[in-house]
Amino acid sequence: MTPKRISARTRNEWVTAYGFLLPNLIGLFVFVFVPIVYALYVSLHDWNALNPKAFSGLDNYRKLLHDDQWWSSIRITLTFSVIYVPLLFVLSLLSALLMNALRGRTKGVARTLFLLPFAVTSVTSAVIGMFMLDPRNGVINRLLGLIGIGPQPFLGSTSQAMLSIIGVILWINIGYNMIIFLSAIKEIPRDYYEAAGMDGATGWKSFRFITLPLLRETSTFILIVTTIGSFQALDQILVMTKGGPANAMEVSVLYIFKQGFELLNMGYAASLAFVLFLIIFGLSLVQLKLFSNRN
Amino acid sequence: MKRAIKALALLLAGFMLVTAGCGSAVTKSVGPDVSKLLEAPNTKADGGKIVLRLWTFHQAMEYHFWTWLAQQYEKDHPNIEIRIEYVSSDDYFSSTRLLSSFASGQGPDLFFVSSATIRRFADAGFLYPLTDLFTAKIRDDFYPAALDNVTVDQEIYAVPFEMELLGLFYNERMFSQHRLDPPETWEEMMRDAELLRTPDISGLTIETYDGVFKNFSWLPFLWQTGGNLLAEDGSRSALSGSQAVKMYGFFRDMVERGLLNLRPSRPTTDIGILANGETAMQVSGTWNIRMLETEFADQPIGVVPLPVPEGGQPATIAGGWKMAANRQSEHAEEAAKFVMWAFAGDPGIPLKWVSDVKFAYPPRKSVMEAGIQNYRKGLRVVFTDRVFGTEREEPQLPEEINRIFSDTIQEMLFGDIAPEAIVSKADKAIGNALAQP
């Protein structure tokens, strides 16, 4: 068997490609791969971040199996994810369709305005959200008052806190996801719609049978990224309620944060983080499998 | 149709822009010079001097006190340079910045500890023992409870320099309009809250936000019932069988009647909540006195001891910061000498802190005697005559126990399980936490 010869040109292309990839690969190795392996190592120890680590085997993993608060935080995270991801997906797609329908100079202006909240940092957005949702002086309660609805507690209520926080996070993220959808919609050849129009398919039918199927890859990307993001949501929750009221918003990442940096159970926090990593990894694989079927 | 779509899109875009623009309304706090922060931790000094880094979260007058103190020490000790470095209060109170600096070997030489953190830092070996520097005369000058509060396993690890007490502040105008006297009992407090609250004014404000101040605010009410979190020797929960359920039941009742301010506009350490008319009564501390004497001097605000339940004992809590020296520091001994010089020597220095810079009670008898006239004017006299003496020191509780108590308050305020169930759940959780090695 003769070894396959690689031409000088192909070799040059490889060198160029890897040259461009190298900075990112180094970043991934140093800031992602190494911390994951280190978290696994720490998770096998009893460590308070100040004293030397003491090897404890799988004790931390056994402990999490019986930790009611951990499982409660997983349940809250799943609930958050199940509400947030579809809402973000649908609203981003609708906004993109709306933007696509615009013509003339309005289009550019509206697109910029939609994207603008994404430029606001997460902590700032949370602070603004707190102002708007303030039960006494907040603008949302003032608006509700205009239509005869009494003041709502929002972040001070175990039943309203989650939807209130989701509202703030949606406000920040819709614009970015809308732009991704919009660029994918622009890629769809107009011929398809014209041909469908000649066959009598317009409106909902052309959306259902042309737009949606051709957005499959973009949709997969957005669903995976937003699902991962929803499992990692922390900033706004920490700022707006610190996991309250009555732990109603204590999502998994926040619980890990509290275990690590408040209670100084670094080993245990690392084991929780590693388990969460496996959950997110598994969910992403499932989503990829489900949506990658081209048929 | 196209017009409608265009209008809808512009409306939505406009809303997002307007709300995004709200960011500029956020007030920025004024802190010390940022360039100074960036220099840290630079321990080099000219002329071979020893540099001691002191981390503080204080601002304005309080920050200037530390720079003044550093200058005074440097005058008497020309071989020492004290560098005051600012750390935001959020980072300080959560201890994250201190912990990471210690873990990386970059910790400050001098820093503040609280009752909540002293045991943790002492156990980790970051506190320089000061026991040998406390002569019999010095020990005798400190109030025993204050000294107990900085003692861990028979060693004194820090020097207390302030005692801050909680009281019930109230709006005198609202009370006089309704011909009410300020409350002395829980029942009167509930009745007054009921009479004084309006759709825009809440009856009573006590801390509801998670954090160290929440436990600080609620512990005295638990103590007043005769209840406590831990037994005297700290070996078991003291909740079960106590009157603690009385507190959870009473304040749950207040929540259900809409008398408590569940989402105050700011942390309740800030008396501005009461001064700005958001509430009729507010549980807060002595640190507000100076603000009430200056910024809110025109506001009709009074203060009384925390109301007591029927058959209960008057009680408030005494908190405050203590200064410690870093045991791991190359100059730990020099740092310890500075701490003792500052707050265990000349009474003039701690007196300046508790009377000129802020209002607080000193943990030393000699300082109290030297500044007695400061404690007999305006609202201060209420604290001096009616609150001081009923205090219990903030306990050195493990963080797990603090968290359990914090969760019970959250459950009482926002949850729906019965007060009895809150107590029994907490009792079990404390038992589990103490059983862990």
Side-chain angles (χ1 to χ4, degrees), chain B residues 44-306:
Chain B
K44 286 181 186 157
D46 296 333
K49 282 184 183 176
I50 293 171
V51 174
L52 299 178
R53 294 163 52 230
L54 188 159
W55 275 17
T56 178
F57 55 86
H58 298 99
Q59 298 195 345
M61 272 178 76
E62 295 178 357
Y63 180 83
H64 295 308
F65 171 82
W66 299 111
T67 53
W68 169 83
L69 192 65
Q71 285 162 6
Q72 297 304 308
Y73 194 71
E74 286 165 3
K75 265 189 218 163
D76 294 346
H77 304 80
N79 64 324
I80 306 280
E81 183 183 333
I82 311 281
R83 287 199 185 149
I84 310 298
E85 294 171 7
Y86 173 78
V87 173
S88 79
S89 52
D90 274 358
D91 285 341
Y92 224 112
F93 298 170
S94 64
S95 301
T96 46
R97 181 91 182 268
L98 273 174
L99 289 170
S100 56
S101 72
F102 286 141
S104 64
Q106 303 288 307
D109 304 283
L110 297 155
F111 56 100
F112 306 116
V113 290
S114 66
S115 301
T117 56
I118 190 167
R119 179 171 286 277
R120 183 194 294 177
F121 287 147
D123 287 348
F126 287 108
L127 301 183
Y128 186 89
L130 304 170
T131 320
D132 293 343
L133 302 174
F134 267 78
T135 60
K137 192 180 164 199
I138 295 175
R139 279 171 197 258
D140 197 42
D141 193 27
F142 278 85
Y143 293 113
L147 219 47
D148 282 351
N149 210 240
V150 289
T151 305
V152 177
D153 301 331
Q154 317 294 322
E155 288 276 14
I156 298 172
Y157 281 110
V159 181
F161 56 92
E162 60 184 17
M163 273 165 62
E164 301 190 292
L165 311 175
L166 284 188
L168 180 75
F169 293 84
Y170 65 97
N171 185 312
E172 286 175 328
R173 189 183 300 135
M174 288 183 200
F175 272 75
S176 62
Q177 277 168 357
H178 285 78
R179 295 182 182 172
L180 292 170
D181 289 325
E184 290 184 2
T185 65
W186 284 10
E187 287 68 27
E188 287 172 10
M189 182 166 69
M190 186 184 282
R191 180 205 61 199
D192 296 347
E194 191 107 53
L195 290 167
L196 297 174
R197 64 109 183 241
T198 69
D200 295 322
I201 301 168
S202 69
L204 174 66
T205 299
I206 313 180
E207 188 60 87
T208 60
Y209 293 111
D210 244 354
V212 284
F213 190 59
K214 190 174 77 182
N215 286 9
F216 189 80
S217 301
W218 287 95
L219 266 172
F221 292 105
L222 178 71
W223 292 337
Q224 289 178 350
T225 65
N228 207 346
L229 294 172
L230 294 182
E232 196 88 343
D233 60 359
S235 65
R236 61 184 171 78
S237 163
L239 280 176
S240 175
S242 73
Q243 294 292 312
V245 72
K246 201 171 174 177
M247 179 195 83
Y248 293 98
F250 176 82
F251 286 101
R252 167 64 67 75
D253 200 12
M254 284 200 79
V255 172
E256 285 171 356
R257 293 181 187 209
L259 304 177
L260 269 186
N261 187 2
L262 291 179
R263 291 286 298 181
S265 60
R266 60 197 100 171
T268 62
T269 45
D270 186 345
I271 200 66
I273 299 174
L274 178 69
N276 293 337
E278 182 180 319
T279 185
M281 294 176 276
Q282 180 179 345
V283 171
S284 201
T286 39
W287 55 89
N288 290 303
I289 294 286
R290 182 159 279 280
M291 185 77 94
L292 290 172
E293 289 169 347
T294 52
E295 195 146 330
F296 299 120
D298 56 338
Q299 295 292 319
I301 290 173
V303 66
V304 284
L306 296 179

Side-chain angles (χ1 to χ4, degrees), chain A residues 1-37:
Chain A
M1 200 172 144
T2 33
K4 202 175 171 182
R5 285 181 64 103
I6 300 168
S7 70
R9 187 177 166 179
T10 311
R11 199 176 302 123
N12 276 344
E13 280 178 359
W14 280 11
V15 170
T16 313
Y18 280 110
F20 277 114
L21 284 173
L22 196 62
N24 253 341
L25 289 175
I26 293 172
L28 271 175
F29 182 77
V30 175
F31 296 113
V32 178
F33 183 73
V34 171
I36 289 172
V37 174

Side-chain angles (χ1 to χ4, degrees), chain A:
Chain A
M1 200 172 144
T2 33
K4 202 175 171 182
R5 285 181 64 103
I6 300 168
S7 70
R9 187 177 166 179
T10 311
R11 199 176 302 123
N12 276 344
E13 280 178 359
W14 280 11
V15 170
T16 313
Y18 280 110
F20 277 114
L21 284 173
L22 196 62
N24 253 341
L25 289 175
I26 293 172
L28 271 175
F29 182 77
V30 175
F31 296 113
V32 178
F33 183 73
V34 171
I36 289 172
V37 174
Y38 187 65
L40 180 62
Y41 170 74
V42 170
S43 74
L44 302 173
H45 293 78
D46 186 13
W47 186 40
N48 68 358
L50 297 171
N51 298 112
K53 300 176 192 73
F55 184 73
S56 61
L58 294 174
D59 282 1
N60 287 327
Y61 291 91
R62 281 192 208 100
K63 184 177 165 188
L64 74 85
L65 290 176
H66 307 287
D67 184 347
D68 293 343
Q69 268 186 289
W70 163 248
W71 292 113
S72 161
S73 76
I74 289 281
R75 186 178 48 75
I76 292 167
T77 308
L78 283 172
T79 314
F80 175 81
S81 190
V82 164
I83 300 172
Y84 169 72
V85 175
L87 269 177
L88 181 71
F89 183 88
V90 172
L91 292 174
S92 307
L93 183 56
L94 281 177
S95 313
L97 292 169
L98 208 62
M99 286 296 138
N100 193 45
L102 287 178
R103 292 287 173 267
R105 265 185 300 179
T106 340
K107 189 172 61 176
V109 177
R111 201 184 302 171
T112 310
L113 296 184
F114 253 91
L115 192 60
L116 211 59
F118 188 66
V120 177
T121 62
S122 54
V123 172
T124 309
S125 72
V127 174
I128 295 170
M130 284 168 75
F131 282 138
M132 294 173 69
L133 293 164
D134 185 86
R136 204 170 289 101
N137 306 307
V139 67
I140 307 284
N141 263 340
R142 301 272 160 171
L143 292 174
L144 290 177
L146 294 178
I147 53 171
I149 299 175
Q152 301 298 310
F154 297 123
L155 299 170
S157 152
T158 49
S159 57
Q160 294 180 8
M162 185 175 283
L163 284 178
S164 305
I165 291 173
I166 285 176
V168 173
I169 304 179
L170 281 175
W171 165 62
I172 294 300
N173 289 334
I174 284 177
Y176 174 71
N177 290 289
M178 180 209 71
I179 291 290
I180 297 174
F181 269 129
L182 189 60
S183 59
I185 291 170
K186 295 275 179 210
E187 290 294 312
I188 302 173
R190 294 213 61 78
D191 306 359
Y192 292 5
Y193 293 104
E194 283 164 12
M198 287 169 77
D199 290 339
T202 52
W204 166 250
K205 275 191 179 169
S206 63
F207 170 73
R208 167 74 183 82
F209 294 106
I210 300 173
T211 314
L212 213 50
L214 291 175
L215 288 179
R216 179 186 289 272
E217 283 183 11
T218 309
S219 304
T220 309
F221 168 76
I222 286 184
L223 280 175
I224 290 177
V225 170
T226 51
T227 304
I228 293 173
S230 70
F231 271 77
Q232 294 173 335
L234 174 72
D235 319 15
Q236 283 98 342
I237 298 171
L238 188 63
V239 173
M240 293 170 83
T241 69
K242 290 186 178 170
N247 293 335
M249 278 307 293
E250 193 171 77
V251 289
S252 307
V253 180
L254 184 56
Y255 185 65
I256 294 170
F257 175 84
K258 285 181 176 175
Q259 281 291 337
F261 295 99
E262 287 182 9
L263 301 175
L264 291 186
N265 296 325
M266 285 292 178
Y268 186 52
S271 70
L272 298 176
F274 200 74
V275 168
L276 187 65
F277 161 73
L278 291 178
I279 293 173
I280 296 174
F281 189 67
L283 274 174
S284 303
L285 285 181
V286 170
Q287 279 184 326
L288 210 57
K289 182 80 186 158
L290 281 177
F291 290 99
S292 65
N293 182 1
R294 286 184 176 274
N295 297 323

